[in-house]
Amino acid sequence: MKKIKISTNFDIYQSLNDLPSEEFELMRQAIEARKEAYAPYSKFSVGAAVLLDNGEIITGSNQENAAYPSGLCAERVAIFYACAKFPETQILKLAISATASNDRTVVPIPPCGACRQSIIEYEFKQKTPIEIIFMGASGNVAKSASMANLLPLGFDNSYLFSDI
Ligand code: THU
């Protein structure tokens, strides 16, 4: 028997204003998208903005449904649309802002497990890291250099086709 230790690293910025300008602009768009969230049930709103290597920024917000599981997280709304519209384009960065009602969330909110798995699919596909930047409504901003850093042991399609 042997033990394996997996560790991870983040950068923490004290506030939005401390982000480099490109990431500041991406997060600003995620915050704007968050304001368009349709979240009448949870009252938890999330905005996401994806930066592509063709310079396009695609935004999304969470979309809830009276049949609860039919709703979709902001990150997947944005990334699925980005990849549907620009299938050949690489994803460089994803910014996320999430908050409970009254904009009172001041801690960085990481993407849920299903979103991490959805996003890492594209990281595997494009073979380059996707930078993930996340925050609440205000306060500290966290930055991860890749999704693999947020999702160790991510499930990738090599398992589907291998004999191991
Ligand atoms: N939500 C997101 O949009 N992204 C996440 O990563 C976690 C949760 C949404 C789903 C639902 O509309 C609300 O937040 C509460 O879970």
Side-chain angles (χ1 to χ4, degrees), residues 44-94:
F44 187 81
S45 43
V46 185
V50 178
L51 175 65
L52 302 175
D53 74 351
N54 63 2
E56 292 273 349
I57 292 179
I58 305 291
T59 61
S61 58
N62 54 326
Q63 300 296 313
E64 296 187 348
N65 193 283
Y68 287 9
S70 302
L72 196 63
C73 292
E75 295 90 327
R76 277 177 285 166
V77 169
I79 209 147
F80 288 163
Y81 180 69
C83 294
K85 192 161 165 67
F86 300 105
E88 305 307 330
T89 308
Q90 297 216 333
I91 301 162
L92 300 180
K93 297 170 195 247
L94 169 68

